[in-house]
Amino acid sequence: TVVNIMGTKIPPREVVLKMEPVSHSIDLSKTALVMIDMQRDFLESGGFGEMLGNDVRKLQKAVTPCENVLKAARKAGMLIIHTREGHRPDMTDVHFHKNFKKNTDGTLKPPQIGQVGPMGRILIRGEPGHDIIPSLYPIEGEPILDKPGKGAFYGTDLDVICKAQNIHNLLICGVTTEVCVHTTAREGNDRGYHCILVGDACASFFDEFHRVALAMISAQGGIFGSVTDSESVVAALGSK
């Protein structure tokens, strides 16, 4: 039995979730939904993703599955955590090699973090582009973690929150599959969490990267965790 912050006993809520490589039950009272970087800078036209030359429609494929999972998780009363990748306005937390990418001729390759774009300074906290898209916006009681790196554990209190709330499993959605989502899953795996990626609620600018990234998670008996889909998650959460 889990005891919450008020000292109230929370009975286990076991549900069976279809996933690869092995389907089994998870306790919703020990499971958190982590929504990774569903930000305007990545998902909307005029944002950082498009400025890099990417087709943002590829990431937008994950929005509806994310909406469905988020709605089901809220109804089930799960802990829901949102992340945003971004940096301090003074940019003192930006590592040199993260921002100063160069062309083959040695010149700086635009765009750069902090550069002014259509939605404000790119990946800077407090700017319009840094914020989460309206349809997935956090509600009261859902923590928002501002992370300076790719993984959601780096430079944040995600691990502190999860341990304080007795979380053992992480349902992970968001973008991009092979970068921030994958890094978070690997970080979580090393910290002892069962990381479950919701495949269609994740997306990449590169179809092959998305496919391979998901395959890597569940390979070799689940070396980094498990992979499921939004329909299975909604069905499982709705069974309680």
Side-chain angles (χ1 to χ4, degrees), residues 23-82:
S23 299
H24 58 80
S25 64
I26 60 171
D27 184 349
L28 296 186
S29 66
K30 298 180 180 180
T31 304
L33 172 63
V34 184
M35 302 290 294
I36 302 289
D37 299 357
M38 296 300 283
Q39 297 163 250
R40 297 183 65 199
D41 251 336
F42 299 130
L43 288 145
E44 293 185 4
S45 179
F48 187 37
E50 187 173 79
M51 291 175 72
L52 289 169
N54 298 304
D55 182 356
V56 295
R57 292 174 299 180
K58 288 184 176 290
L59 297 196
Q60 291 169 359
K61 294 177 182 178
V63 172
T64 297
C66 281
E67 291 172 348
N68 293 338
V69 171
L70 181 59
K71 181 179 179 181
R74 284 172 173 166
K75 188 174 181 180
M78 291 175 58
L79 173 64
I80 299 167
I81 300 170
H82 303 260

Side-chain angles (χ1 to χ4, degrees), residues 125-236:
R125 296 171 188 172
E127 298 289 334
H130 174 258
D131 216 350
I132 294 167
I133 62 173
S135 67
L136 295 171
Y137 209 79
I139 62 174
E140 185 177 356
E142 296 175 358
I144 303 173
L145 304 182
D146 285 323
K147 60 188 185 68
K150 308 299 190 296
F153 287 91
Y154 170 70
T156 77
D157 54 0
L158 176 58
D159 194 41
V160 175
I161 292 172
C162 288
K163 283 184 167 55
Q165 299 304 314
N166 197 32
I167 296 299
H168 295 183
N169 312 301
L170 301 178
L171 278 174
I172 304 176
C173 305
V175 298
T176 61
T177 316
E178 77 280 8
V179 183
C180 295
V181 171
H182 220 268
T183 303
T184 298
R186 286 169 176 251
E187 289 179 330
N189 177 265
D190 278 344
R191 287 165 173 79
Y193 297 98
H194 180 196
C195 296
I196 308 166
L197 272 61
V198 186
D200 60 326
C202 301
S204 171
F205 292 120
F206 308 97
D207 296 339
E208 186 67 4
F209 289 2
H210 174 76
R211 184 190 67 79
V212 173
L214 293 179
M216 290 172 67
I217 293 293
S218 59
Q220 300 181 65
I223 191 168
F224 294 121
S226 302
V227 177
T228 185
D229 59 83
S230 61
E231 185 176 340
S232 296
V233 173
V234 170

